[in-house]
Amino acid sequence: MNIKMKESKKRNSGLHNFSEIKLEQELSILEQLSQWLSRIGINIDGTRFCKLLELVRDIDHHYRSDKTSQLSMKYDNATQWVALTDVTTFIRVFLGFKDIKSHDLPRAKLKEMLDGPLLPWNESPNSGNSHARNTLFELEMAAWFKRAELAVTSYDDVQFNFTEHTFNVQCKRIHSSRRIGDNVAIAADQITKRMDKLPRTKGLICLCIDKVSGKEGMILEVDSHNNISYFLEQIARDFIISYRHLWQGLLNIHVLGTFVILNALARTKDRKKPMLTHCRRTILDIIPNNTLYQQRDYKLVKKLSDKLNSVKPIAGF
């Protein structure tokens, strides 16, 4: 996995994450996750995770048997996209939580993340069946913060301590472009309510834009990693340019930034054998200006961004 960071005049900092998909390794870790869930008393039978595990086993079998040509006849690109992107997310959660003491584990959240429809486009927020993937996204963010050695103190809303402040993080998967403003407003309101109890709280918003990127369920055909970087960069930055006024204009000055997160699956052609690659673009759009009245908050969130950028991958994830 290659990690890159840059700072622009628009107060953005970002990471490119590339994980070359090694099915045998991913399946092995997924099997470990299944066993770990069993040990902590969480039953996976009948869940989305159980279906995903069976799907990945079958995809791996096709690769091992050199029957990849038959794979596209059995599963369309969209289904393979779901399998290989969801696996990466579950693995990141597992690697972030597996060493936590049993009594500190957020068991209810870990159980919640396993359910829901296998295919994300079968989600309907009004029916409540998107809750499981929303929870998975929250836990993935919490795992990232933990791997940055931040003291995560809550998982109901993700909260962590950094310097002398508590940070409350509101994670939102955007299901429709019509709801982006509502999602940002709800997140800001939830942060404000947490501040009533903890006055020194700072806020962050995390927006996953997979569903509104137009690339969900697609396997991108690109020449090299550099092409992926440019492509994802453009989508994420276009989103920020279009919608940053929603968070940059918040009345609550203690909301310090918005993470914009985009996942994609690509097939690179720069090798003798085309390689499937899971790609992730994360951009933090910093809200405070580096000016006299906001400089302290700017330096705080910039320091946090640098710490998150320093996270080293575990087993390529």
Side-chain angles (χ1 to χ4, degrees):
M1 173 157 51
N2 300 319
I3 299 178
K4 300 177 182 177
M5 172 186 171
K6 60 183 176 181
E7 181 92 5
S8 78
K9 293 179 180 179
K10 294 184 178 180
R11 306 191 307 281
N12 300 148
S13 70
L15 298 107
H16 287 294
N17 289 21
F18 299 114
S19 301
E20 290 185 348
I21 293 172
K22 301 174 182 176
L23 273 174
E24 185 177 355
Q25 179 195 29
E26 294 196 352
L27 179 57
S28 175
I29 299 175
L30 210 61
E31 299 282 11
Q32 293 175 46
L33 169 55
S34 175
Q35 295 163 13
W36 177 73
L37 289 168
S38 178
R39 286 197 302 272
I40 64 174
I42 297 177
N43 184 14
I44 70 167
D45 291 345
T47 64
R48 170 173 61 96
F49 175 77
C50 185
K51 296 173 186 175
L52 175 68
L53 181 57
E54 291 299 326
L55 175 59
V56 176
R57 285 170 177 162
D58 194 33
I59 292 174
D60 179 63
H61 172 73
H62 279 75
Y63 272 89
R64 284 172 176 269
S65 305
D66 199 24
K67 296 179 180 178
T68 53
S69 59
Q70 298 177 20
L71 198 57
S72 58
M73 298 174 61
K74 189 170 184 179
Y75 304 112
D76 60 18
N77 279 353
T79 302
Q80 293 183 61
W81 183 94
V82 169
L84 299 175
T85 53
D86 272 11
V87 165
T88 303
T89 305
F90 275 114
I91 287 174
R92 285 175 177 154
V93 172
F94 173 53
L95 295 176
F97 284 85
K98 67 183 181 68
D99 294 325
I100 297 178
K101 293 181 180 178
S102 179
H103 62 274
D104 290 328
L105 287 169
R107 278 181 171 76
K109 289 279 186 180
L110 290 167
K111 185 176 180 180
E112 287 172 7
M113 75 175 185
L114 305 178
D115 288 316
L118 179 64
L119 304 178
W121 37 90
N122 290 336
E123 290 179 311
S124 173
N126 293 332
S127 72
N129 70 352
S130 63
H131 183 63
R133 270 195 169 84
N134 295 344
T135 300
L136 181 62
F137 178 47
E138 291 174 356
L139 292 178
E140 183 184 17
M141 292 298 98
W144 184 33
F145 299 140
K146 290 181 70 64
R147 287 169 62 173
E149 298 183 347
L150 297 169
V152 177
T153 58
S154 174
Y155 301 101
D156 289 332
D157 279 341
V158 179
Q159 284 193 174
F160 61 83
N161 294 331
F162 181 64
T163 65
E164 71 272 24
H165 295 284
T166 294
F167 276 78
N168 180 266
V169 186
Q170 293 296 324
C171 301
K172 305 295 179 186
R173 290 172 62 238
I174 305 298
H175 290 263
S176 165
S177 58
R178 296 189 300 272
R179 293 278 298 164
I180 296 171
D182 291 339
N183 277 274
V184 171
I186 291 169
D189 183 59
Q190 290 171 326
I191 291 169
T192 300
K193 289 178 179 177
R194 301 301 179 270
M195 288 180 62
D196 290 341
K197 299 178 180 178
L198 294 169
R200 293 184 64 81
T201 297
K202 301 294 184 181
L204 294 168
I205 299 171
C206 292
L207 303 179
C208 178
I209 65 169
D210 293 355
K211 280 185 170 291
V212 294
S213 70
K215 306 304 173 188
E216 186 179 54
M218 295 176 61
I219 298 179
L220 310 175
E221 300 285 346
V222 296
D223 292 327
S224 69
H225 282 168
N226 291 333
N227 296 114
I228 304 172
S229 300
Y230 175 80
F231 191 74
L232 297 188
E233 177 90 8
Q234 200 62 47
I235 294 174
R237 290 202 180 278
D238 285 350
F239 179 89
I240 289 174
I241 290 169
S242 297
Y243 297 106
R244 70 194 309 261
H245 66 279
L246 296 172
W247 54 83
Q248 291 287 344
L250 290 172
L251 294 177
N252 187 343
I253 62 171
H254 298 288
V255 180
L256 301 188
T258 295
F259 286 101
V260 173
I261 298 161
L262 172 64
N263 294 284
L265 195 66
R267 184 179 287 111
T268 56
K269 302 176 182 177
D270 55 353
R271 301 191 179 190
K272 291 181 179 179
K273 185 176 181 180
M275 181 69 67
L276 274 176
T277 305
H278 178 264
C279 324
R280 185 184 186 90
R281 183 70 175 109
T282 301
I283 298 178
L284 172 60
D285 192 44
I286 296 173
I287 295 175
N289 285 293
N290 189 17
T291 57
L292 179 63
Y293 296 107
Q294 296 181 306
Q295 192 173 62
R296 186 170 183 176
D297 279 344
Y298 174 85
K299 288 183 176 180
L300 174 64
V301 72
K302 183 64 174 63
K303 184 178 180 181
L304 173 63
S305 175
D306 291 342
K307 189 170 182 64
L308 290 169
N309 280 336
S310 71
V311 173
K312 302 298 181 184
I314 301 175
F317 298 96

